[in-house]
C-alpha cells in the first residue's frame, strides 16, 4: 500500500512535507537508532548537502543501496514537480555528509555511468517501486555513487 501511495501526487506531497521532516527529526534525536530502516529492506540515511545558492546545509532522509564501500542514491522526478533540491545541490557541490545509523562521515559523489545505472536500477526499484512508475511518467532520474573520503 505504501508503495502505491508513494507513486501518487498526494503521496509525494506527504513524503516531502510531513514524513521526511518527521523522519529526519526522529533519526537525529535517536542518534540513528530509530528510523534507519523503514521496513521491507528499505535502509534510510540522512543526506546533508550544501545549498547551491544559499551555502546552507540541507538534510533529507533518503533510501540507499550499499555496494561494498559505495553508497548508491536515487531520485526520480515524478513528472509533476521540480527536480529534488538534494540532486541539484549534490551536482553543484559533490561533497556530502551521510549519517548511516549513528555513523557520520563525508562522501564524494558523482553521477552513475550508464553501466552503473543498468546494474543498480533493478535493485533500486526493489527498494522503492514508485521509482519505476515515476520514471515511466517523467523519463527523468538521477543516480549517484558516493564513496567515503
Amino acid at each position: 500500500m505504501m508503495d502505491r501511495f508513494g507513486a501518487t501526487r498526494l503521496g509525494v506531497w506527504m513524503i516531502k512535507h510531513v514524513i521526511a521532516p518527521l523522519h529526519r527529526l526522529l533519526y537525529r534525536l535517536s542518534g540513528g537508532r530509530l528510523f534507519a530502516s523503514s521496513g521491507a529492506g528499505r535502509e534510510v540515511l540522512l543526506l546533508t548537502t550544501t545549498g547551491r545558492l544559499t551555502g546552507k546545509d540541507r538534510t533529507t532522509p533518503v533510501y540507499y543501496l550499499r555496494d561494498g564501500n559505495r553508497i548508491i542514491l536515487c531520485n526520480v522526478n515524478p513528472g509533476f514537480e521540480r527536480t529534488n533540491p538534494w540532486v541539484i545541490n549534490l551536482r553543484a557541490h559533490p561533497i556530502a555528509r551521510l549519517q548511516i545509523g549513528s555513523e557520520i562521515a563525508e562522501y564524494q559523489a558523482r553521477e552513475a555511468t550508464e553501466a552503473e545505472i543498468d546494474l543498480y536500477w533493478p535493485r533500486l526499484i526493489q527498494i522503492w517501486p514508485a521509482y519505476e512508475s515515476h520514471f515511466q511518467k517523467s523519463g527523468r532520474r538521477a543516480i549517484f555513487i558516493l564513496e567515503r573520503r
Side-chain angles (χ1 to χ4, degrees), residues 3-10 12 76-80 121 130-140:
D3 294 341
R4 281 184 272 142
F5 182 65
T8 67
R9 218 177 257 270
L10 176 61
V12 169
V76 179
N77 187 299
F80 50 81
W121 183 242
Y131 287 150
E132 178 67 19
S133 60
H134 290 329
F135 185 64
Q136 287 173 359
K137 291 175 192 166
S138 72
R140 295 180 7 214

Side-chain angles (χ1 to χ4, degrees), residues 5 10 19 24-25 32 36 41 49 59 65 67 73 98-99 105 107 112 115-116 130 137 139 146 148:
F5 182 65
L10 176 61
I19 297 168
R24 177 179 51 242
L25 175 68
T49 59
T59 302
L65 284 176
D67 184 15
L73 303 180
L98 304 184
Q99 179 175 350
Y107 284 75
E116 290 168 328
K137 291 175 192 166
L146 289 87
R148 195 168 180 163

Side-chain angles (χ1 to χ4, degrees), residues 2 4 48 55 76 83 92 98 100 105 108 114:
M2 182 65 169
R4 281 184 272 142
T48 301
V76 179
T83 300
L98 304 184
I100 302 174
Q108 176 75 43
E114 286 300 318

Side-chain angles (χ1 to χ4, degrees), residues 41-55:
R42 296 181 179 133
E43 300 300 316
V44 179
L45 57 75
L46 291 184
L47 169 68
T48 301
T49 59
T50 301
R52 72 182 171 101
L53 298 177
T54 65

Side-chain angles (χ1 to χ4, degrees), residues 36-134:
S37 174
S38 63
R42 296 181 179 133
E43 300 300 316
V44 179
L45 57 75
L46 291 184
L47 169 68
T48 301
T49 59
T50 301
R52 72 182 171 101
L53 298 177
T54 65
K56 294 180 181 179
D57 284 351
R58 304 290 183 200
T59 302
T60 189
V62 180
Y63 291 135
Y64 72 97
L65 284 176
R66 186 182 293 273
D67 184 15
N69 293 328
R70 295 171 147 192
I71 301 295
I72 294 81
L73 303 180
C74 179
N75 179 261
V76 179
N77 187 299
F80 50 81
E81 284 205 339
R82 293 179 298 172
T83 300
N84 197 308
W86 72 257
V87 172
I88 297 167
N89 292 341
L90 205 52
R91 285 177 177 148
H93 304 286
I95 304 298
R97 189 171 64 249
L98 304 184
Q99 179 175 350
I100 302 174
S102 62
E103 184 180 326
I104 300 172
E106 276 195 352
Y107 284 75
Q108 176 75 43
R110 64 174 176 79
E111 292 203 53
T113 64
E114 286 300 318
E116 290 168 328
I117 291 170
D118 291 343
L119 175 66
Y120 295 124
W121 183 242
R123 292 174 56 196
L124 290 163
I125 294 169
Q126 284 181 318
I127 291 172
W128 188 238
Y131 287 150
E132 178 67 19
S133 60
H134 290 329

